[in-house]
Amino acid sequence: MADGDSTRDPASAAKLQRLSLVGVSHRSVNAALRGRFFDEEPDQGALLEALRSADWEEALAVATCERLEFVVIARPERAPAAELLQRIARTADVSPVDLAGQSYCHTGTQALRHLFAVAASLDSLVVGEPQILGQMKQCYRASREAGLSGPLLDGALQAAFAAAKRVRSETPIGQQTSSMTLIARQVAEDLHGRFDALKLLWLGLGEMGEMLSGDFLAAGIEHLLVMHSSPLRAEAVARRLACNFAPKETLDHHLAEADIVISDTSAGRFTLDAEQVEAALKRRRRQPMLLIDAGVPSDIEPGVADLDGAFVYDLDDLERLAQSEAGGRAAAEAMAWAVVEEELGRFCQAQAERSAAPSVTALRQHFETVRREVLDQGADDAEAATRLLINRLLHGPSEALRHTAGSDPAAGEALERSLRRLFDLKSAGYKGEEDKGEEET
């Protein structure tokens, strides 16, 4: 495949029309399917091998803990949507019919817009979270190393990463999420004081939970325990964060020991109910417990907040507390989308301009050939030579214009408009006001 310089592929604008993106995300699928798609770590190697065997012109797999998307440039006359959806369904051992209304498909510019939005964290469960950009870069590197990426996707991903960087540096969207983690830490500090002796229990292993857990670790918490329905995934995350993990069956025991609980399973049902938490609080002798509900939908039963010793905050609570520092969500998102649209427009315009480059080169070469032919004929003087040159250059376009106008008036009119625009010509028979005045004089 190419080396990432999209300027070497002048046909990329035409390729854009064959670009397709098909995917599912934590946001698009129901609770019953989330576990099938997102409980296990994605097998990037298997996904890339599936794309390679399908023989796409260019291909990319975006696989994270909350989304699975295939981005391909199909060869001409090939319709990729159904094929890609079937491949996605196969990863979760479900039927494509089961994904009806729970998947999405974008083509052309819309597919690019989605990629840009994902990189800028505008399509994440927690808008503004920073992990997705690093995850996308990792997926892109894997596709390149597998020889699947190519000029258009290389250029598109680089443009998307640049847009994401601008979003984080020029808008409050990233500051808002950072402020939410800071607020969570301040709430915990107000409730518990020093962090070094506290125990943190993280349920679910989602991206917001990782942000919060990482922030608490940085603040001094030394005891972090992760728990997930998939022991393999819990072990992998625990190894990466240098902490401990435990099977889900031991939840009640470890819940009673936790001073801070972060839950972000987003399973569509309550991970913690009032009876569980009440039993844990009794075992703790009512020592306070901070519970952060980062699930979308909620993980913690509303009645938990009424228990003596339980302090429950969800993402909306943290956002409200953070808004005075980072501004409102709607305003921040509007600013971020404006950056995305600007960068998307710039990229698409560059592709269109590059697609015209071969025609401009061919035109220049044609003019040069005609010029040399005229010189070789040895015209007597400059006037004769230039007149011959003009006649030679205009013969082909003039005949094509006459023929088109005679056989298809509408096409002829469109061709004439293009000609006037290309050479900045006035309409036939028209003279400007200055020309008229000189003629009358």
Side-chain angles (χ1 to χ4, degrees):
M1 289 290 176
D3 60 0
D5 183 2
S6 62
T7 61
R8 299 187 183 184
D9 185 12
S12 56
K15 278 188 177 182
L16 178 56
Q17 304 308 313
R18 294 185 276 118
L19 177 67
S20 293
L21 182 151
V22 178
V24 293
S25 71
H26 217 290
R27 189 192 301 271
S28 73
V29 299
N30 60 30
L33 290 179
R34 284 187 199 123
R36 285 180 171 269
F37 279 108
F38 305 117
D39 271 359
E40 302 291 339
E41 288 286 329
D43 188 341
Q44 188 74 243
L47 296 174
L48 294 175
E49 182 56 37
L51 289 176
R52 184 187 292 107
S53 64
D55 190 31
W56 303 105
E57 192 166 331
E58 297 184 31
L60 168 75
V62 179
T64 73
C65 61
E66 69 168 40
R67 72 179 60 248
L68 171 58
E69 297 172 349
F70 289 137
V71 189
V72 304
I73 298 173
R75 301 190 185 280
E77 309 303 324
R78 185 175 178 183
E83 187 176 344
L84 292 174
L85 185 62
Q86 187 175 38
R87 174 60 63 181
I88 286 175
R90 198 175 302 164
T91 64
D93 196 24
V94 299
S95 167
V97 176
D98 296 333
L99 294 179
Q102 300 188 64
S103 60
Y104 43 88
C105 176
H106 304 299
T107 60
T109 304
Q110 279 297 101
L112 282 181
R113 179 175 285 106
H114 180 84
L115 272 180
F116 277 52
V118 170
S121 188
L122 292 175
D123 193 61
S124 297
L125 279 173
V126 180
V127 174
E129 54 86 10
Q131 281 89 351
I132 184 60
L133 181 57
Q135 291 168 339
M136 282 193 70
K137 288 182 176 180
Q138 183 177 1
C139 292
Y140 168 56
R141 282 195 299 270
S143 290
R144 278 180 57 85
E145 290 170 1
L148 293 172
S149 189
L152 179 57
L153 286 182
D154 287 345
L157 268 295
Q158 293 301 332
F161 298 155
K165 184 176 180 181
R166 280 193 59 196
V167 165
R168 296 203 68 79
S169 63
E170 298 178 17
T171 77
I173 200 79
Q175 300 169 15
Q176 188 175 33
T177 306
S178 298
S179 295
M180 289 169 64
T181 62
L182 177 61
I183 291 297
R185 196 173 71 192
Q186 290 175 349
V187 169
E189 190 172 6
D190 291 342
L191 186 64
H192 292 296
R194 289 172 56 97
F195 283 170
D196 50 3
L198 299 181
K199 293 184 177 181
L200 170 62
L201 174 61
W202 174 21
L203 309 173
L205 309 186
E207 292 178 355
M208 189 60 186
E210 182 159 352
M211 287 182 59
L212 291 165
S213 297
D215 204 52
F216 278 121
L217 287 173
I221 282 186
E222 299 176 357
H223 306 285
L224 169 62
L225 182 72
V226 299
M227 192 175 293
H228 192 266
S229 56
S230 168
L232 290 177
R233 187 172 173 194
E235 183 180 5
V237 172
R239 189 182 304 112
R240 175 160 51 84
L241 297 180
C243 65
N244 296 318
F245 70 99
K248 188 178 179 181
E249 292 73 22
T250 62
L251 173 59
D252 290 342
H253 169 74
H254 291 291
L255 184 61
E257 297 182 344
D259 302 294
I260 303 171
V261 179
I262 299 170
S263 184
D264 64 347
T265 67
S266 302
R269 60 184 181 279
F270 294 129
T271 303
L272 297 173
D273 58 36
E275 184 178 351
Q276 279 178 297
V277 179
E278 173 64 17
L281 287 168
K282 285 182 179 179
R283 291 179 59 188
R284 291 171 58 81
R285 298 183 180 181
R286 296 294 167 181
Q287 293 182 44
M289 179 189 296
L290 172 62
L291 300 106
I292 300 176
D293 187 351
V296 181
S298 298
D299 277 0
I300 300 176
E301 187 178 44
V304 173
D306 298 327
L307 300 177
D308 183 21
F311 297 82
V312 182
Y313 288 78
D314 62 18
L315 296 182
D316 288 336
D317 296 327
L318 296 178
E319 183 181 2
R320 279 193 293 271
L321 292 172
Q323 275 184 354
S324 60
E325 299 179 29
R329 174 188 293 177
E333 288 192 32
M335 293 173 65
W337 271 110
V339 171
V340 164
E341 291 295 342
E342 181 181 339
E343 291 295 327
L344 177 63
R346 182 178 290 128
F347 176 76
C348 290
Q349 181 178 354
Q351 301 311 300
E353 290 174 353
R354 291 184 186 117
S355 69
S359 297
V360 173
T361 300
L363 182 64
R364 183 179 296 275
Q365 290 174 345
H366 172 65
F367 277 29
E368 177 63 20
T369 299
V370 174
R371 184 184 76 86
R372 290 186 178 277
E373 289 175 353
V374 169
L375 290 175
D376 290 342
Q377 290 185 3
D380 295 336
D381 53 34
E383 184 176 354
T386 52
R387 185 181 298 111
L388 180 57
L389 177 62
I390 290 173
N391 289 337
R392 290 280 182 86
L393 292 175
L394 291 181
H395 176 73
S398 300
E399 288 300 310
L401 183 58
R402 292 192 190 99
H403 176 74
T404 303
S407 60
D408 187 344
E413 185 176 345
L415 186 58
E416 186 179 354
R417 285 198 301 270
S418 298
L419 189 66
R420 290 174 185 163
R421 181 178 180 185
L422 283 171
F423 293 99
D424 194 23
L425 303 178
K426 296 184 174 67
S427 299
Y430 172 81
K431 291 189 177 184
E433 293 302 320
E434 293 182 0
D435 294 337
K436 286 183 179 180
E438 291 177 0
E439 188 174 89
E440 290 171 357
T441 302

